[in-house]
Each structure stands twice: as structure tokens, then as C-alpha cells.
Amino acid sequence: MILFQCDYNEGAHPRIMERMMETNLEQSPGYGEDAHCRRAAQLICKACGNDRLAVHFLVGGTQANMTVIDAALRSHQGVISAGSGHINVHETGAVESLGHKVLAVPHKDGKLTAAQVEELYQSHIHDSSFEHMVQPKMVYISNPTEYGTLYSRKELEELSRVCREHDLYLFMDGARLGYGLAAPDNELDLPFLAEHCDVFYIGGTKVGALFGEAVVIVNEELKKDFRYFIKQKGGMLAKGRLLGIQFETLFEDDLYMEISRHAIRMAEKLREAFRKKGYPFLVENRTNQIFPVMPDSVLEKLSGSYGYSYQERVDDTHSAVRFCTSWATKEENVNSLIEDLNNC
């Protein structure tokens, strides 16, 4: 079985595993106070073009999301998210379990607009019962989104402007950020994110690491006491160097972008094969997530040899599914899928 279900089916990039073994018997302070975490943070700050950033390493995306959101919000405040947002759909109510409501709004291909944020904010403050309602205080977006789409520079600038006008924090979930930055139609870069977001994170779990996300805090208000929140949420890894070593390796010699570009090349090749077969896409994008709409009969034939994710029913005989490439996707496996696809 060849898996295209997600971008974390494999372990870690060999250079990370080698570095783990090389440093295995090193003695170092715990809880992220080691030299590897410090250097990884320095490399990320350099890549972002800002040496005043606070960089913290957490184990996974849900942990990063809930820790950032809880650190930013008071008990009466909530976070605005697209209805498809990961915090709203696939995190088992982690944010709500901390007492913060996710204020979900309709989306277009996974994206929020500045106009939607403006409308929700104005609706709240002009409601005569505003004090009886959850106060919007943060805007959560994903880039790439859960549909593999990307925010343009203009869209992010507008979101940032609205958030700053109304004293809202802008938080970007970057679990798949590398694949977004490597996409052919991408307009963003790390310095731009550091300029327009209050906080974002750089995903490692889905982009070459065994595990780990690098939370990058720009806003001075959010930097204060953040390590207390990490500890309180169970995120302060005793052997913190395991996170530092991975991001240190990923941000040396442009490895993070190199492996991200590989995933995009594989996705482009597979996307073109679906297109040539005449299959439309549920959502058009150029990242590593592909959402073809296919006959159920073809999917049944492929399911014996290939793993993919079901997305939604389209009609009585067609389903939208997701095929996902990764930093480790083998070209021979992509070629095998294309050959079988052409023979169906």
C-alpha cells in the first residue's frame, strides 16, 4: 500500500536522524534551555529578518494552537476562524476546553476575508447586549488552508490592517507553511509574515521533522509569560533539545525549503495527471494537497493499492478525495499511481 493520505506518513528527514544520533549522548540543560534550541531560534529569526522575535518549540499543531490562543485571550474572549479551520473542526474542542469559544464564520475555499472580520467585529460592538456575548479578540487563519489554498499579500495585508484597527491579534497556523512558501503561486515569505502577524508558527511535523512546531511571537504583549503557558499546557518538553536539533537542521542550508519544493514538484506532477484524465477539482490550488472529484468506481480500484483521504460526496457516483504529497514522496510512487490512474 502506497500512502497519499497525509504529509506525515513518513518519519523524519535523514539529516535530522543523523543529527539526532550525533548528539544523542550530549549533556544539555532541559526544557528548551539548550544550545540547539537557542541556535534554532536564531536561525529562524534570521530567516524572518527580525532578531527581536520570541521563538518557542512545541511538539504538535493542536498543542501550539491551544497554547497560543489561551495565552492571548482572557476568559470572556474568543477567536474568529473559518468554519473549516483546524481549531474548529479537527482538534476535538481543544480551544473550547480552555474556555474560549471559536467564532466560526463561512469561508471561501478555507479562507477568511478582512470584510468578514470587520462585519463580525462591528456586529458585536454595536449589539446592545455585547457584554452578554463572547468578545472577539483574535483572528485565526491557516496558510496553506485546510483546502490547500494560499493567502495573497493583499489579503494578508487587509486582514492585518483590520486586526490592528480593532486591537485583534492575528494568528497564522503554519502547520504546512513550507509547502505554501514553495508553491508556484505563493506571494508570501517569512519576513512578510513577521511584519503582518502577531504570532504564527512554522510547522515541522508535516515538513520533515519527527515532530515539532516553532511558534514565532512578534507582538510584545504575547511574549510575556508565554513559557508559563507552555508548561501549564503540558508542552514544556524535558528533552527540549530534541525539538531544537530538528529545527536547527531544517533551517541550515535551506533544507526546509528544499524538501518543501520536492513535495510541490510531486504534487504538480500528480495534479497534471488528474487534469489530463478530465477530473475536476473540488478546490483549485498549487500546494501539496490535491482534491480531485473522481468516479467512485475508479476510487474503488485504486483503494487496493493507494491510500487517500475521503473529503465529501459530490453526487451519486462521484466523490471528492484528497491526495497529499510530502517532503519524502517518492517519484516512483507518483509514477505508479499515474500509470494505474491511466489504466482505470
Side-chain angles (χ1 to χ4, degrees):
M1 178 70 76
I2 299 173
L3 302 181
F4 290 93
Q5 290 169 325
C6 64
D7 32 26
Y8 46 95
N9 285 132
E10 298 89 2
H13 191 276
R15 277 165 57 180
I16 287 178
M17 300 303 292
E18 291 167 7
R19 191 71 177 129
M20 288 281 206
M21 289 304 299
E22 289 170 4
T23 59
N24 188 46
L25 295 181
E26 279 186 10
Q27 292 185 322
S28 62
Y31 305 108
E33 299 275 313
D34 60 281
H36 296 290
C37 285
R38 286 197 301 274
R39 182 162 184 265
Q42 290 168 356
L43 289 170
I44 289 171
C45 286
K46 182 179 179 181
C48 292
N50 186 340
D51 60 7
R52 299 182 304 279
L53 304 172
V55 181
H56 301 274
F57 302 103
L58 287 92
V59 171
T62 298
Q63 184 186 75
N65 286 332
M66 64 188 292
T67 303
V68 168
I69 291 169
D70 195 45
L73 304 185
R74 296 176 66 186
S75 59
H76 62 288
Q77 296 172 333
V79 54
I80 303 169
S81 167
S84 59
H86 208 266
I87 60 171
N88 187 53
V89 180
H90 285 131
E91 294 188 353
T92 326
V95 172
E96 286 91 344
S97 76
L98 299 172
H100 304 294
K101 186 176 179 63
V102 176
L103 303 166
V105 299
H107 65 91
K108 172 63 175 174
D109 296 340
K111 294 200 285 187
L112 281 181
T113 67
Q116 287 178 298
V117 174
E118 179 72 35
E119 181 180 2
L120 189 150
Y121 177 81
Q122 293 296 339
S123 176
H124 175 80
I125 64 170
H126 289 108
D127 192 301
S128 59
S129 300
F130 69 91
E131 291 177 337
H132 300 268
M133 302 160 66
V134 172
Q135 181 190 71
K137 182 61 179 177
M138 173 177 272
V139 173
Y140 166 94
I141 59 174
S142 304
N143 193 73
T145 69
E146 289 71 20
Y147 287 89
T149 53
L150 298 172
Y151 284 90
S152 67
R153 291 176 76 92
K154 184 173 184 288
E155 288 169 331
L156 193 59
E157 285 172 341
E158 291 176 347
L159 278 167
S160 180
R161 175 186 54 78
V162 167
C163 286
R164 290 175 181 178
E165 283 180 3
H166 301 310
D167 197 25
L168 305 174
Y169 299 121
L170 180 57
F171 172 33
M172 178 181 283
D173 176 331
R176 293 187 169 93
L177 183 58
Y179 302 131
L181 298 177
D185 56 343
N186 170 61
E187 298 180 5
L188 309 180
D189 56 28
L190 289 174
F192 190 82
L193 298 186
E195 182 181 351
H196 291 85
C197 297
D198 291 288
V199 54
F200 64 95
Y201 69 88
I202 300 169
T205 302
K206 297 175 180 178
V207 194
L210 273 175
F211 53 86
E213 323 297 314
V215 173
V216 181
I217 305 177
V218 182
N219 191 310
E220 293 296 327
E221 294 176 4
L222 302 181
K223 294 178 184 178
K224 185 179 179 182
D225 294 341
F226 191 75
R227 279 175 60 85
Y228 285 91
F229 285 92
I230 295 175
K231 180 65 177 181
Q232 191 179 67
K233 300 299 176 292
M236 194 168 283
L237 191 65
K239 296 181 181 179
R241 73 172 186 272
L242 299 179
L243 290 162
I245 289 166
Q246 294 184 79
F247 279 93
E248 186 180 29
T249 305
L250 286 172
F251 276 80
E252 286 175 337
D253 303 322
D254 203 36
L255 179 62
Y256 191 72
M257 291 308 302
E258 176 188 322
I259 62 178
S260 296
R261 286 189 285 267
H262 168 79
I264 297 302
R265 286 194 296 270
M266 295 300 98
E268 289 282 278
K269 187 171 185 177
L270 190 52
R271 186 177 285 107
E272 183 59 23
F274 286 124
R275 204 182 303 279
K276 285 183 177 179
K277 286 290 290 185
Y279 298 141
F281 298 99
L282 180 67
V283 177
E284 290 281 355
N285 69 60
R286 300 291 297 279
T287 56
N288 70 316
Q289 300 178 80
I290 311 167
F291 296 88
V293 176
M294 302 174 66
D296 295 332
S297 57
V298 172
L299 290 171
E300 186 175 356
K301 292 177 183 178
L302 293 177
S303 64
S305 302
Y306 305 97
Y308 53 84
S309 300
Y310 175 81
Q311 190 69 20
E312 62 183 66
R313 167 65 56 190
V314 175
D315 59 35
D316 290 343
T317 59
H318 292 78
S319 298
V321 294
R322 184 185 77 164
F323 286 81
C324 197
T325 60
S326 83
W327 60 274
T329 297
K330 295 179 180 178
E331 188 162 15
E332 62 205 62
N333 289 344
V334 171
N335 291 338
S336 174
L337 173 56
I338 292 173
E339 182 178 352
D340 288 345
L341 187 66
N342 289 333
N343 290 331
C344 284

